[in-house]
Amino acid sequence: MKIAVLPGDGIGSEIVAEAVKVLKALDLSFEMEEAPVGGAAYEVSGHPLPDSTLNLAKAADAILFGAVGDWKYDTLDRPLRPEQAILGLRKHLGLFANFRPAICYEQLTHASSLKPELVAGLDILIIRELTGDIYFGQPRGRRVATDGHFPGAEEAFDTMRYSRPEIERIAHVAFQAARLRDKRVTSVDKANVLETFQLWKDVVTEVGQHYPDVALDHMYVDNAAMQLVRAPKRFDVIVTGNMFGDILSDEASMLTGSIGMLPSASLNAQNKGLYEPSHGSAPDIAGKGIANPLATILSAAMMLRFSLGQAAAADRIEQAVKTVLAQGFRTVDIAEAGAKTVGTAAMGDAVVAALTAQG
Ligand code: IPM
Ligand code: MG
């Protein structure tokens, strides 16, 4: 089993190091190879996704990814910005299905910005389409060269598009995922205004007819954003496009106490996947050793389950995370007022200790 390890920028290297530590503590044999990505790759090679990194990712069975991005690259031409690395990996590897679970762990009910009774026991799954939508339409603007030169005009646009096959395959993913859960899918769209999302709604409805055992409802994205903070437990699986999924998954993350707790998996049709925390590179806290590594550690568990056929090892990691939370280990982002906190490495060590103690 070969894992490409791409730490990236900001807190990326700190959190990925802890996930690697946890993987090494399992009695499984992996080959892990590290490569630069994002701003870190731009610094050494002039490109955020150099061929060497892309080829390593393509050759591996799974990719463990940290985060990319830093404000200092905001003035670069768009194709050279760190974010293009993750977008490029998603596109080149066909990683169209993004799983972003939002689970509120018992001990963290009080870390949520919502009232404890609204989030206690929360377990929702956002399935975000990841290789289409306005993210991959045609851009035109100040940081995108057209015919080799920058237009510099005071107008910019991006095109939103989806095709029927793109919607069908993500809809199937959502219904199949729902079958393993509470058998309810909410499709989030903006069909009242956008043609792209009228097609989305129609196609999801058609696909839903193949899953009579799964309840389907439709919700406009503005209402979904509101319902997520009003009564989040009404949801089971949410399926939506790239742009809305980006926004709603950040929103959902805060229900769980901290975005530092949320893992994600991005899969292609062959179940090859890239695994990354849902949060970003957090340059403001980079290098301080305080970032929460649990989202990345939980992403490694998803990697074991979805791409490496090691479900038992994934269960063990998830159990170990519950154990350390029960033992009271808290990074600053999930600490109760006045609680004692641990840093990134100590949290990783605690997970390893909990794993080892499982015998
Ligand atoms: C995410 C991030 C990315 C996205 C950025 C870094 C390009 O916000 O994975 O949610 O917008 O998809
Ligand atoms: Mg995002």
Side-chain angles (χ1 to χ4, degrees), residues 268-281:
N268 69 13
Q270 293 76 42
N271 271 354
K272 171 155 174 173
L274 180 149
Y275 300 84
E276 56 173 330
S278 284
H279 61 73
S281 54

Side-chain angles (χ1 to χ4, degrees), residues 343-358:
T344 312
M347 186 59 117
D349 290 342
V351 175
V352 169
L355 266 182
T356 315
Q358 288 167 359

Side-chain angles (χ1 to χ4, degrees), residues 68-69 82-84 86-87 90 98 100 128 130 135 242-243 245-247 249-250 264 276-280:
V68 288
E83 290 77 7
Q84 295 302 313
I86 184 65
L87 297 174
R90 290 169 182 171
N98 185 211
R100 295 192 167 181
R128 169 188 177 196
L130 207 54
Y135 268 63
N242 205 345
M243 179 85 257
D246 180 46
I247 301 166
S249 60
D250 261 36
S264 82
E276 56 173 330
S278 284
H279 61 73

Side-chain angles (χ1 to χ4, degrees), residues 195-210:
E195 275 310 299
T196 315
F197 278 92
Q198 184 64 58
L199 180 68
W200 176 281
K201 185 174 185 176
D202 295 345
V203 173
V204 173
T205 304
E206 283 172 37
V207 173
Q209 283 158 7
H210 299 283

